Amino acid sequence: MSHALISLARAMVFVLALAAAAGCAKKDADESAAPQAAAAAAPAELAFKNGAIYTVDGPRRWADAVAIRGGHIVFVGTDLDLEKHIGPDTRVVDLKGRMLLPGFQDAHVHPISAGTEAVSCDLNGLQTAEQYVAKIKEYSDAHPQAEWITGGGWLMSAFGPGARARRELIDAVVPDRPVVLSSTDGHTTWVNSKALEIAGITKDTPDPPDGRIDRDPRTGEAVGSLQEGAGSLVRDKVPPSTPEQLQAGLRYAIKYLNALGITGIQDASVDEPDLKTYQTLDQAGELTLHVVGSIWWERDQGLEQIDTIKRLSTTYTKGQVDARTVKIMQDGVIENYTAVVLEPYKLPGKAPSYGIPMVDPEKLKTVVTTLDADGFQVHFHAIGDGAIRQALDAVEAARVANGDRGHRHHISHLEVIQPVDVSRFRTLGVVANFQPLWAYADPYITDLTLPFMGKERAQWIYPIESLVRSGAVVAFGSDWSVSSPNPLEQIEVAITRMGAAGETTTPFLPAERITLPEALAAFTINAAYVNRDEVDTGSIEVGKLADLAVLDRNLFDIAPTEISDAKVLLTLFEGKVVHGDLSSL
Ligand SMILES: [Zn+2]
């Protein structure tokens, strides 16, 4: 995206704002009468002035000033009009031209597991197998009492194309205690020999239906990497995290996410201990995030689990927590050939493989139709074009049976979409939930994806602009701890299709770049929409909660490649400072 185009986009937004403001003048005057009368009686507690305030309201208006009282926004407008809302006790903060945005919302994130991982053996940020081994040894030496060593954050690409994470590497530094480490994308589990022994995995152990034990081609012995559901063979033996460990992980995550300007999330997979963790911190007043919890669909069970889901949903939907969503994982990932694809993977010398559907597609229709009728939103994991079509078909079946119940079902990841399926998102009301940080030519794409996809499909990878243009609602999420949860890095990639840290300098499928206003909407109002919270959050408008983020620079004034360099100086959650310091602005 060139700077000129950004300026053009901004100019268009301005013209639209003028047109909308002119058309709605009468209505605005009527609506503002009540809040202003109230404001005269009670001045704002906190006000920001002299800012570049991008409100993300319907006409995408800009403002200079915002006033807050009782956790809500009571005024948005010019510095001049702000004066009526200022009393002797109002704290007035001069933004000195800095940018103020609605708090970001992450529509697909795993805060508890990411936070727990960050406070255990954390391999995130390291790049090579040698670095991983050194870190595992360091952690093991520092935790001599731990019966199991758990953690994760390793990259499949660190082992080279086609190579697997092997147990011998860990055995060399930890031979006597089990070690279990998730890949950064969560789809592969790297274990040592002790862990395989405890799980009873031998060369005679069959692959589970939803996964694969990687084996030595000569001996048939497990090499130490377990794909998808095969990881559960070992994970089931790991003692569950204690409530204290989960709470420590969530505390870490809340602080980290708030520091990135995030005030709302959709947790992409929760079970009862997770929901309890949210509830505990919420009751203690520590949950400074609006949380939608997607209750995990157990794929080895059927409709009988809906009773449990209903119980969890009713028990835990209160305060900041909304547990009226169900997460269905429909496939794996392309890098290990478990994503469901419509044309087989190009694997010379191997039988044609179409990936592994996690739920039988016909059964999926029944499941989604039932959940839809029961009032649940469905959050799908679908990466391959086959799994995406299966998810869309299931929503279509629910539509035919139940009509439009307005649950805002959404599909996350969306790596390869057949062009004929693009328009179905809008017509079925399915939100396209992308993880834009993945949309550039990193080794996952160049080495582990493109060679197995064929030329034609290589054009359809992360087609974000196609979805925007189709009229679908596009929301963004990070999938942290798979990737950085920093929305500014993700926004940069969405508009440049290049690595945010300069990893690549050529846009990947440049026609799929989107504009800054579109990317900001995907992380604010559209994410609030998929979180069913757009009435109270997602934009800076009178009556909404004061969830706000102050940035050190105006994103519209800088080159797109600088967006990830911007810093969040201050975050407010419901009017309360949860990151930064008002007096340091
Ligand atoms: Zn995820």
Side-chain angles (χ1 to χ4, degrees), residues 1 436-437 439-440 476 486-504 513-514 516 519-520 523 555 558-566:
M1 176 64 54
L437 198 81
Y440 74 96
F476 283 166
N486 183 349
L488 297 170
E489 290 175 25
Q490 301 166 64
I491 288 168
E492 178 176 322
V493 179
I495 63 184
T496 65
R497 307 276 294 196
M498 300 190 290
E503 297 94 330
T504 61
R513 290 176 295 193
I514 61 169
L516 180 56
L520 287 170
F523 260 123
L555 302 179
I558 59 177
T561 49
E562 277 172 40
I563 289 174
S564 61
D565 302 330

Side-chain angles (χ1 to χ4, degrees), residues 146-159:
E147 282 180 38
W148 284 73
I149 290 172
T150 59
W154 57 274
L155 295 160
M156 234 184 276
S157 53
F159 298 92

